[in-house]
């Protein structure tokens, strides 16, 4: 049995290490993450995660873990910005408002798939233009849903969350541990 992380995210690799889990292989999925016309954020996140876990090649006894994190402002999906201009647009939209961060996690072993969606609420303080432009200059927004990472410099913009901090980062550890145990991964081995 091999454990495969179906993600190229260094944040997910670091979070798994907090559980004492070291993947045998890392295989980033290559799927189209374009939302369907009229697709809402939670169903979108869940669908993308299922597509990811199905796309990873694995033997029947291997365990594959994939996840997707989506930032939702109302019914709007704020994906990974295509450039600094779109990142600024996202940050202006989030400024002074609450939004949802949805992280869907799926584990697969053979034909069995277990999946869990975790929704957290995040409040961003009212941001000045100088705060936004200074943050954009850090380039920390690149490759991040909603154009920010709570565990980076943007953490100073977030006075309040409700839900899973690790879910907002990209992998809710409590739910991930339960999924791994449920699929048969020996997460908590006794010392011999």
């Amino acid at each position: 049995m091999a454990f495969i992380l179906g993600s190229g995210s260094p944040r997910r690799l670091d979070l798994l290490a907090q559980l004492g889990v070291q993947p045998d292989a890392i295989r980033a999925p290559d799927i189209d993450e374009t939302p369907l016309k009229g697709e809402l954020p939670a169903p979108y996140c869940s669908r993308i995660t299922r597509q990811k876990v199905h796309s990873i090649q694995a033997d029947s006894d291997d365990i594959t873990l994939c996840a997707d994190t989506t930032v939702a402002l109302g019914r709007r999906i704020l994906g990974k910005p295509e450039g600094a201009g779109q990142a600024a647009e996202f940050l202006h939209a989030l400024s002074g408002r609450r939004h949802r961060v949805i992280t869907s996690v799926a584990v697969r072993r053979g034909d069995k798939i277990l999946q869990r969606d975790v929704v957290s609420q995040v409040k961003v303080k009212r941001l000045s233009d100088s705060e936004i432009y200074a943050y954009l200059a850090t380039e920390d927004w690149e490759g991040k849903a909603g154009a920010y990472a709570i565990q980076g410099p943007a953490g100073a913009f977030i006075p309040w969350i409700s839900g899973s901090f690790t879910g907002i980062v990209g992998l809710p550890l409590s739910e991930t541990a339960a999924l791994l145990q449920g699929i048969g991964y020996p997460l908590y081995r006794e010392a011999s």
Side-chain angles (χ1 to χ4, degrees), residues 120-138:
S120 300
Q121 302 284 330
V122 178
K123 181 176 182 4
V124 175
K125 75 181 198 92
R126 189 169 307 282
L127 300 172
S128 68
D129 287 343
S130 62
E131 286 171 318
I132 290 174
Y133 295 123
Y135 179 67
L136 292 174
T138 70

Side-chain angles (χ1 to χ4, degrees), residues 17-93:
Q18 291 182 31
L19 293 176
V21 176
Q22 190 68 35
D24 297 301
I26 298 172
R27 300 180 189 151
D30 183 20
I31 65 164
D32 180 5
E33 295 189 33
T34 306
L36 302 174
K37 185 175 172 62
E39 190 171 28
L40 295 175
Y44 162 78
C45 189
S46 188
R47 176 180 66 83
I48 292 300
T49 301
R50 278 191 311 277
Q51 284 184 354
K52 286 179 177 182
V53 83
H54 281 293
S55 74
I56 301 296
Q57 294 294 325
D59 291 336
S60 62
D61 199 40
D62 292 347
I63 294 174
T64 303
L65 182 143
C66 293
D68 188 71
T69 300
T70 299
V71 172
L73 186 60
R75 299 167 61 94
R76 183 177 174 197
I77 297 168
L78 301 183
K80 296 173 185 167
E82 295 177 10
Q86 189 175 44
E89 175 191 324
F90 288 178
L91 293 169
H92 279 290

